[in-house]
Amino acid sequence: MGQSLSVLRPAAALALALPSPVNAAQAAEAPLNYFMRSYGPASEPTMYLGWVLAGLSVIIMLIISLLLIVALLRNRPSMDMRMIGPESGGLRWIYIGTGISTFILFGLVIYSLLVLDAVAKPPSTPAITVTVTGYDWWWRIEYEHDDPEQTVTTANELHIPVGEPVLIRLKSADVIHAFWVPTLAGKTQMIPGLINQQWIQADSPGIYAGQCAQFCGAGHARMSLEVVAESAEDFERWRNAQRRPVSSPFRPGSTGEFGQRLFMDRCGGCHAVRGTDAAGRHAPDLTHLNSRRWLAAGLLLNTPEDLMNWIVNAQRLKPGSRMPSIALSETEKSALSTYLSTLD
Ligand code: HEC
Ligand SMILES: [Cu+2]
């Protein structure tokens, strides 16, 4: 099916003279530029469909405007209303118009069905399955493995190897969300109690922006994610690093140890850090917090300053968030910072 559709590609590209998908670096700069660019086979057919639909609509609008202008400007004697009818010949044009519209619309239905078919299944069986669960307002990301020790859990940053399809299982922990990484694939809803599926594939390495596409409450606009597509080796390296639990025994009485105790008391009920007693499931897993680029689903860049800013002001920065703002003394802040800086 992908074969027959590729016939349309050069025609559409020529007709609209739009740039061809090339440089992945630009994807990160113009995240929602999905109308112009596609970086994988799951989004390409829909992009061309978008071009054809937009192009046709513009052409039809121009023709109709032109006909309207001609009709308005034509100098004709005022008409006898009784003349309107089959005898005037007007009916013929109505038949022709209806015929043309029906023909175009029917063609578009068939083309849309072909596109649906082309994106329904990946070209080869995905070797990697990732479960993404939507929460108000962040994403849990889990790489399954038969051996639970090998399972990887992270948040808001989805890593995939370049050039191969990845199966995404979509769940929701609360309300309806929608998983959407526009330059890689169309969007799919995440519905409580159901598991939906979709596949994505990135053909060039890069960072691709994603966004929750179903209104899910006050923080909906602040629910982004990033897809990092990298070479198979880099992906394996990343996944192995993520599998590692923390192994940092702190010297008794040290700042780090104080920070760790503080974390277990104040944060560990919601957050998990594998290898410690913190095993909360209702907030992002923080075992490898420092490996992530963003905090709180794309809200702040992950710097030590903004990390503390987030912890103390979560409610001001993302009103209604399921994380409370946490009051900390200066000593507690520095101990907690020391502890968090070891979560790499
Ligand atoms: C009541 C549960 C709860 C408590 C207690 C809590 N958090 Fe959170 N935390 C959350 C939730 C939920 C999020 C996700 C918020 C969002 O992005 O909308 C979050 C997000 C974060 C993030 C961003 C993680 C990421 O990858 O984006 C950090 C860092 C964090 N919390 C640190 C802490 C620290 C440190 C403490 C203790 C001082 C703490 N949290 C206490 C629930 C909690
Ligand atoms: Cu949403």
Side-chain angles (χ1 to χ4, degrees):
M1 199 44 69
Q3 291 308 312
S4 58
L5 274 175
S6 63
V7 175
L8 272 158
R9 184 197 307 182
L14 264 181
L16 295 154
L18 284 168
S20 59
V22 267
N23 183 358
Q26 295 171 14
E29 285 156 25
L32 298 182
N33 199 358
Y34 60 95
F35 190 75
M36 301 292 274
R37 291 175 193 287
S38 141
Y39 293 95
S43 62
E44 212 181 48
T46 16
M47 181 182 71
Y48 295 122
L49 176 66
W51 292 4
V52 170
L53 288 180
L56 261 176
S57 309
V58 168
I59 293 170
I60 290 173
M61 193 203 65
L62 288 178
I63 294 176
I64 290 177
S65 310
L66 199 75
L67 289 176
L68 197 64
I69 291 170
V70 170
L72 286 173
L73 295 183
R74 238 163 71 170
N75 207 359
R76 288 209 301 190
S78 61
M79 204 188 329
D80 179 350
M81 290 312 268
R82 283 166 303 181
M83 286 279 293
I84 300 181
E87 312 81 54
S88 72
L91 210 53
R92 189 165 45 120
W93 286 106
I94 292 179
Y95 288 143
I96 291 175
T98 312
I100 293 175
S101 313
T102 310
F103 183 74
I104 291 177
L105 288 175
F106 194 68
L108 288 178
V109 168
I110 291 178
Y111 179 26
S112 305
L113 289 175
L114 292 177
V115 169
L116 273 183
D117 188 67
V119 298
K121 285 208 197 72
S124 59
T125 313
I128 294 169
T129 302
V130 188
T131 301
V132 180
T133 310
Y135 285 75
D136 272 345
W137 294 289
W138 60 281
W139 317 79
R140 174 190 297 284
I141 294 172
E142 288 161 305
Y143 295 74
E144 281 142 46
H145 200 283
D146 298 335
D147 174 6
E149 297 273 290
Q150 304 283 304
T151 300
V152 165
T153 304
T154 180
N156 307 329
E157 196 178 292
L158 174 62
H159 285 242
I160 59 171
V162 95
E164 51 172 296
V166 174
L167 186 69
I168 313 276
R169 298 167 77 236
L170 297 165
K171 298 198 221 171
S172 167
D174 37 46
V175 298
I176 301 178
H177 301 276
F179 177 87
W180 193 34
V181 186
T183 51
L184 296 184
K187 69 186 167 201
T188 305
Q189 284 195 324
M190 313 164 93
I191 298 171
L194 281 185
I195 300 179
N196 278 342
Q197 282 195 4
Q198 88 170 126
W199 63 282
I200 60 170
Q201 175 173 335
D203 282 340
S204 23
I207 296 176
Y208 304 92
Q211 174 66 38
C212 177
Q214 178 74 48
F215 182 71
C216 56
H220 165 63
R222 297 277 180 224
M223 185 170 168
S224 330
L225 82 155
E226 250 179 19
V227 175
V228 179
E230 53 204 352
S231 68
E233 303 83 66
D234 286 348
F235 172 74
E236 270 319 316
R237 202 172 305 127
W238 173 85
R239 193 161 56 165
N240 285 329
Q242 296 285 317
R243 278 179 179 143
R244 222 182 49 232
V246 295
S247 57
S248 48
F250 295 96
R251 207 162 29 78
S254 65
T255 320
E257 196 233 12
F258 176 46
Q260 186 176 37
R261 261 191 293 130
L262 204 63
F263 186 88
M264 297 308 144
D265 284 354
R266 310 276 299 267
C267 327
C270 294
H271 291 283
V273 174
R274 278 169 286 137
T276 75
D277 293 339
R281 284 222 19 122
H282 298 289
D285 185 300
L286 299 182
T287 314
H288 297 288
L289 170 65
N290 297 312
S291 72
R292 302 203 274 270
R293 243 160 60 87
W294 294 92
L295 294 171
L299 185 69
L300 300 165
L301 271 173
N302 189 1
T303 63
E305 298 74 45
D306 271 337
L307 176 57
M308 202 35 73
N309 186 12
W310 163 255
I311 294 169
V312 182
N313 298 309
Q315 285 304 312
R316 192 166 56 74
L317 294 169
K318 203 176 196 180
S321 150
R322 301 295 184 260
M323 169 151 162
S325 298
I326 294 178
L328 296 167
S329 71
E330 288 306 316
T331 335
E332 288 173 330
K333 279 187 199 169
S334 85
L336 196 59
S337 288
T338 307
Y339 174 63
L340 293 174
S341 71
T342 65
L343 303 177
D344 52 3

